[in-house]
Amino acid sequence: MDYIIENSNLKVVINSKGAELTSIFNKKNNFEYIWQKDPKFWAKSSPILFPFVGTIKNSEYSYEGKKYQIKTRHGFARDNEFIVNKQGENFIEFLFSSNEETKKIYPFDFNLYLKYSIVDNEVLLEYKVENLTDGDMYFSLGAHPAFNLFEKNNNFVEFEKDEIGVSKIIEDGFLGEKIQDLFKGKIFKFDEKTFEKDAVILENTNSNKVFLKSLDSNKQLEFDYEGFKYMAFWNAPGSGFICFEPWDGITDYINSNGKLEEKVGIEKLEKDGIYQRRIKIKVS
C-alpha cells in the first residue's frame, strides 16, 4: 500500500512493502528524483538492506554452531510488509519485527523501524534497530535509493571533501583483493562502463555528504550519509539512474569462513541495545 507525506515543496510516496521510498517529486520544478522501477533494468527504487548487505557465500552462514540458509541478496526486510507504527502531518514511521519465518533463517529477535519525514525541500530517513534477543545480535543495514539522472550526459558525483577514490571490486557477487582507482579529489565521473561488474565501494570516506550534479542542468541532489562505514554507487547501464548506497556491512569476501560473528563489516548490538542511523536527501 502506498502512503503519502507532502508539503508545499515535495510529495513523497512510500510503499509498505519493504517500507520502500518510491517517489520524491519536487512540485517547484516538476521533477521526479526517484527511479520509477523499470523491470527491464531494475524492479526496485529504494530497498532497505537488512539484516545483510550483499550476498552470503554459498547462501549459508553459521552462528553458535548452527547453520542457516539464506538465498536472497541484501537480506529479507525489503520483501516483507511493514506496518505503520506512527503517522503525522509531515512524517510516517514503519515497523517490521522478527517472526517465526524470519527466525528460520536469522536467529535473532528484533524491531526494525524506518521513519520518513519532510521539512521544506528535504527528506529525512531514520533507521532504528532494537535488539530483543536474550544476548548479542549481529546484523548489517544499508540503504539503496536510485535517483534519476538530470540529463542523459554529463552527470557526476561531487563529494563534500577530497577523497582518494579507491574502490573495492565485487566479482560474481563477492569481494577479493582487487581494487580500482576511480578518482582523486572531490569529483567522481561515471559512465555506462563504470558499473559493468557491480557496485563500486568506498570505505571510511572523509566526506559525510555527496551531491548529484550535471553540467547540463541546474538541478542538484544533496545526500547526507554521516555515520555509515561504506559508501557505494551502482547503476544498470542504459537505465538513466544512479544508486547512492550507504552501508553498515558489506557483501561476503571470497575467503569468508561463514561465521556470522567474524563477517567483515558486521554490526554487533548488545542485549536491549539500539542502533540508529539517518540519511538526509535535499533536492533543488
Side-chain angles (χ1 to χ4, degrees):
M1 182 175 177
D2 284 338
Y3 293 85
I4 297 172
I5 53 175
E6 61 183 318
N7 59 17
S8 59
N9 294 321
L10 302 177
K11 179 180 179 181
V12 176
V13 182
I14 308 104
N15 192 277
S16 56
K17 184 176 181 181
E20 185 174 14
L21 177 65
T22 60
S23 175
I24 299 177
F25 183 76
N26 188 332
K27 298 177 182 179
K28 302 298 184 181
N29 63 8
N30 293 314
F31 188 78
E32 174 60 69
Y33 285 81
I34 296 293
W35 165 251
Q36 294 300 290
K37 294 187 179 183
D38 183 348
K40 177 182 176 182
F41 297 101
W42 191 47
K44 298 285 187 180
S45 60
S46 181
I48 183 172
L49 316 183
F50 177 89
F52 300 113
V53 171
T55 306
I56 300 297
K57 183 181 177 182
N58 299 325
S59 302
E60 185 179 84
Y61 67 94
S62 65
Y63 179 66
E64 294 187 338
K66 184 177 178 180
K67 291 185 177 180
Y68 297 86
Q69 289 191 331
I70 180 166
K71 297 181 179 180
T72 54
R73 195 179 192 195
H74 295 317
F76 50 73
R78 63 181 185 169
D79 298 316
N80 281 271
E81 281 288 327
F82 283 58
I83 64 169
V84 175
N85 188 53
K86 296 178 182 177
Q87 188 171 9
E89 184 177 351
N90 69 336
F91 78 91
I92 185 167
E93 182 180 73
F94 294 89
L95 168 64
F96 174 64
S97 301
S98 53
N99 54 57
E100 291 183 5
E101 292 303 310
T102 66
K103 293 292 286 291
K104 292 177 183 178
I105 56 176
Y106 181 69
F108 302 102
D109 292 308
F110 64 85
N111 283 330
L112 170 63
Y113 300 87
L114 179 44
K115 180 181 178 181
Y116 295 89
S117 55
I118 53 174
V119 178
D120 297 328
N121 60 335
E122 183 175 275
V123 183
L124 176 64
L125 289 70
E126 297 176 271
Y127 301 85
K128 183 168 73 173
V129 178
E130 294 177 340
N131 179 13
L132 308 180
T133 305
D134 187 15
D136 295 334
M137 174 182 172
Y138 293 86
F139 70 97
S140 297
L141 183 142
H144 203 307
F147 300 112
N148 286 317
L149 299 179
F150 301 142
E151 303 293 340
K152 291 183 179 180
N153 300 302
N154 293 324
N155 288 269
F156 62 93
V157 172
E158 182 176 330
F159 281 80
E160 175 188 27
K161 299 178 180 178
D162 285 340
E163 304 290 345
I164 300 298
V166 174
S167 168
K168 297 177 180 296
I169 298 177
I170 298 176
E171 292 189 284
D172 299 321
F174 302 101
L175 289 163
E177 298 303 318
K178 292 182 180 180
I179 57 174
Q180 62 177 324
D181 292 322
L182 293 174
F183 67 97
K184 289 183 180 179
K186 295 182 179 181
I187 305 300
F188 167 37
K189 296 180 180 179
F190 58 90
D191 57 31
E192 292 190 0
K193 294 183 178 180
T194 305
F195 310 102
E196 279 183 331
K197 290 188 176 180
D198 209 314
V200 296
I201 307 163
L202 306 181
E203 185 174 6
N204 297 324
T205 60
N206 297 318
S207 303
N208 293 318
K209 293 180 183 180
V210 289
F211 302 84
L212 178 60
K213 297 181 178 181
S214 169
L215 295 176
D216 302 325
S217 174
N218 59 3
K219 298 182 184 70
Q220 176 177 289
L221 183 142
E222 178 182 321
F223 189 87
D224 186 327
Y225 61 97
E226 183 177 2
F228 284 91
K229 297 174 186 173
Y230 305 94
M231 185 63 190
F233 302 91
W234 174 78
N235 79 0
S239 61
F241 71 78
I242 185 169
C243 289
F244 286 8
E245 304 181 43
W247 299 342
D248 273 339
I250 199 167
T251 196
D252 271 350
Y253 279 74
I254 294 171
N255 62 356
S256 171
N257 63 16
K259 294 182 180 179
L260 185 60
E261 305 97 313
E262 299 176 13
K263 179 174 167 58
V264 174
I266 200 75
E267 292 286 317
K268 177 182 176 181
L269 194 58
E270 295 180 350
K271 179 182 177 181
D272 299 323
I274 296 176
Y275 161 100
Q276 293 178 295
R277 290 289 185 275
R278 68 178 189 174
I279 295 167
K280 290 189 286 186
I281 303 169
K282 187 176 182 180
V283 299
S284 59

